């Protein structure tokens, strides 16, 4: 099946009637108590309960992953805002320190013999250098947050891929239901023989049973 045929199939699903699907969703499927599949046999398949419904599980995966991704993005945004606010505080401190440097520089020139002025000038200059390093680290942290946000975009792509798989599965399910839909209700159909002549079993129906079955079909 080509991609064009698959797209056409997905678009055509809206034309199918969903009565059978709605009735199926409204029915409560009872779990088989004590069900234990034979490890040596590939059949029977697990019962169609909540634990084995593939589309349900895929829906849970897409929903949970989207919720967690949204939470992570919100936390990253909060962290990034902390970095921005801290950088703004550092800029304010630099302005204060620059004023101190300007004052102590003038005092040091006017009173060169006063050692405390010289020490204060050096301390403020060292503080300016340290704040510059802090600002660089904060900017690097913002860059890392942005890269993490870019990486998180792949999660949304994966979610879209899973949703496309779900849509394809549901489209095929609706198509098969429509293709094998019958005019006669299954409960009104004539029961078929479990074993007939030619089966690889000794428990077969007799010719009389087959003739009786044919006669029953002829009355319908």
């Amino acid at each position: 099946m080509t991609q064009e045929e698959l797209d056409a199939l997905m678009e055509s699903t809206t034309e199918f009637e969903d009565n059978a699907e709605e009735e199926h969703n409204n029915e409560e499927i009872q779990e088989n108590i004590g069900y234990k599949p034979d490890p040596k046999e590939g059949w029977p398949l697990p019962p169609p309960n909540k634990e084995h419904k593939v589309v349900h599980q895929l829906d849970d995966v897409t929903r949970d992953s989207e919720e967690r991704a949204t939470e992570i993005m919100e936390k990253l945004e909060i962290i990034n805002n902390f970095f921005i606010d801290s950088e703004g505080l550092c800029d304010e401190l630099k302005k204060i320190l620059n004023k101190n440097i300007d004052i102590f520089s003038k005092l040091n020139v006017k009173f060169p013999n006063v050692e405390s002025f010289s020490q204060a000038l050096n301390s403020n200059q060292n503080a300016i250098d340290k704040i510059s390093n802090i600002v660089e680290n904060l900017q690097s942290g913002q860059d890392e947050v942005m890269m993490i946000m870019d990486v998180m975009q792949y999660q949304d792509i994966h979610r879209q891929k899973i949703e496309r798989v779900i849509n394809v599965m549901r489209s095929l399910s609706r198509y098969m239901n429509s293709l094998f839909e019958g005019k006669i209700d299954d409960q009104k159909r004539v029961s078929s023989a479990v074993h007939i002549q030619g089966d690889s079993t000794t428990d077969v129906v007799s010719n009389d049973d087959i003739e009786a079955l044919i006669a029953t079909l002829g009355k319908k």
Side-chain angles (χ1 to χ4, degrees):
M1 179 179 289
T2 63
Q3 183 65 38
E4 289 77 9
E5 294 173 342
L6 184 59
D7 294 338
L9 174 62
M10 294 179 63
E11 294 176 358
S12 64
T13 55
T14 55
E15 301 177 1
F16 297 139
E17 296 182 354
D18 295 335
N19 294 335
E21 180 182 355
E22 292 179 358
E23 293 177 359
H24 176 72
N25 292 334
N26 293 331
E27 294 178 355
E28 294 183 357
I29 301 177
Q30 297 181 353
E31 297 183 3
N32 295 339
I33 301 176
Y35 173 84
K36 294 182 179 180
D38 189 352
K40 298 181 181 179
E41 299 292 339
W43 186 267
L45 294 175
N49 54 27
K50 295 181 180 179
E51 296 180 356
H52 299 98
K53 289 188 176 182
V54 178
V55 175
H56 285 191
Q57 294 179 359
L58 291 177
D59 287 335
D60 292 340
V61 170
T62 55
R63 184 190 66 252
D64 294 341
S65 62
E66 183 176 6
E67 291 177 355
R68 298 297 180 270
T70 301
E71 293 177 2
I72 294 174
M73 295 294 286
E74 291 176 352
K75 296 298 182 181
L76 290 174
E77 186 176 358
I78 293 174
I79 294 173
N80 190 60
N81 291 334
F82 285 153
F83 287 152
I84 295 175
D85 293 341
S86 298
E87 185 177 353
L89 294 175
C90 289
D91 289 338
E92 293 180 4
L93 290 176
K94 286 180 67 175
K95 293 179 181 179
I96 296 174
L97 293 174
N98 285 326
K99 290 182 179 179
N100 292 339
I101 291 174
D102 182 58
I103 293 173
F104 286 119
S105 296
K106 293 178 180 178
L107 291 173
N108 188 40
V109 171
K110 190 172 184 179
F111 304 100
N113 296 327
V114 180
E115 187 177 356
S116 59
F117 292 156
S118 176
Q119 291 177 350
L121 178 61
N122 293 331
S123 297
N124 282 271
Q125 289 176 342
N126 291 332
I128 286 287
D129 295 336
K130 291 180 180 180
I131 289 179
S132 298
N133 293 332
I134 293 174
V135 171
E136 291 179 0
N137 291 333
L138 291 173
Q139 292 175 348
S140 298
Q142 293 180 52
D143 294 339
E144 293 294 331
V145 169
M146 295 304 298
M147 286 190 288
I148 294 175
M149 288 183 175
D150 291 337
V151 173
M152 290 298 297
Q153 297 299 324
Y154 286 98
Q155 184 277 337
D156 184 65
I157 297 175
H158 294 161
R159 177 185 59 80
Q160 294 180 27
K161 289 181 179 180
I162 295 176
E163 289 177 347
R164 183 169 62 181
V165 171
I166 294 174
N167 291 332
V168 172
M169 294 172 63
R170 296 299 301 149
S171 299
L172 291 175
S173 176
R174 293 175 182 175
Y175 175 77
M176 296 300 291
N177 290 336
S178 177
L179 184 64
F180 293 109
E181 183 180 1
K183 297 181 180 180
I184 303 175
D185 189 85
D186 290 339
Q187 297 179 351
K188 298 180 180 179
R189 291 184 180 277
V190 178
S191 60
S192 58
V194 178
H195 302 288
I196 60 176
Q197 189 71 33
D199 289 343
S200 58
T201 178
T202 58
D203 186 14
V204 297
V205 296
S206 62
N207 292 331
D208 295 336
D209 294 333
I210 296 177
E211 292 178 358
L213 177 62
I214 295 175
T216 304
L217 293 173
K219 296 179 182 179
K220 295 294 179 179

